[in-house]
């Protein structure tokens, strides 16, 4: 632990950054302990000496964990893509209301009247 800065140097550094704190070492310890508790840092605090001791981490790449995490992300993206493609497909025309023979005759009659009216207007122009 010879590489760890002594308490006075750490306190002086923290005090120079935030001089309004009455006890910067205690504040730093509380911040680091919260990070350890939240799982952001894998370490322990040595309160007697006032420093943090990091835990040794194993070689994560010697396990299958990165491959499993990568595969789960790929599966998620592919499922999202497939759901989006399904949502974009058109439904068949079976949901549309079938036009009855009477409505079809009425529509055709209106179209013929409109065609006659347009033809008469064209004849009047010449």
């Amino acid at each position: 632990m010879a590489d760890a800065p002594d308490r006075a140097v750490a306190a002086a550094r923290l005090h120079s950054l935030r001089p309004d704190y009455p006890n910067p070492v205690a504040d730093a310890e509380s911040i680091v302990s919260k990070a350890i508790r939240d799982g952001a840092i894998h370490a322990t605090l040595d309160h007697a000496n006032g420093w943090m001791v990091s835990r040794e981490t194993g070689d994560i790449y010697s396990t299958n964990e990165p491959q499993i995490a990568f595969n789960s992300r790929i599966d998620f993206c592919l499922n999202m893509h497939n759901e989006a493609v399904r949502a974009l497909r058109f439904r068949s025309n079976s949901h549309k209301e079938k036009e009855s023979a009477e409505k079809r005759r009425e529509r055709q009659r209106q179209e013929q009247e409109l065609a006659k009216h347009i033809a008469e207007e064209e004849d009047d122009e010449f």
Side-chain angles (χ1 to χ4, degrees):
M1 300 283 162
D3 294 338
D6 75 342
R7 188 176 217 168
V9 173
R13 287 182 190 155
L14 288 171
H15 190 69
S16 67
L17 293 175
R18 298 291 293 215
D20 54 336
Y21 284 156
N23 189 355
V25 174
D27 293 332
E29 284 183 11
S30 68
I31 292 169
V32 171
S33 67
K34 182 174 181 342
I36 291 171
R37 188 175 46 245
D38 292 343
I41 301 173
H42 299 292
T44 58
L45 282 177
D46 184 356
H47 294 285
N49 294 321
W51 60 59
M52 177 183 79
V53 179
S54 297
R55 290 188 207 152
E56 284 293 321
T57 56
D59 183 16
I60 189 76
Y61 296 105
S62 65
T63 65
N64 287 338
E65 189 173 336
Q67 180 181 1
I68 292 168
F70 188 62
N71 283 338
S72 69
R73 291 178 184 152
I74 290 173
D75 288 340
F76 173 78
C77 291
L78 287 175
N79 287 335
M80 183 184 297
H81 173 265
N82 290 339
E83 289 175 12
V85 168
R86 276 188 226 116
L88 291 175
R89 289 186 181 153
F90 294 103
R91 296 189 310 179
S92 65
N93 289 338
S94 63
H95 70 280
K96 291 185 177 178
E97 182 181 311
K98 303 251 181 191
E99 187 178 40
S100 67
E102 184 177 321
K103 286 184 180 181
R104 185 176 55 244
R105 276 187 244 121
E106 179 63 27
R107 182 180 49 81
Q108 288 174 346
R109 185 185 61 75
Q110 288 176 354
E111 288 174 357
Q112 287 175 355
E113 287 177 7
L114 181 62
K116 285 180 186 177
H117 182 68
I118 292 173
E120 288 174 359
E121 286 182 359
E122 288 178 358
D123 289 339
D124 291 342
E125 289 178 4
F126 293 117

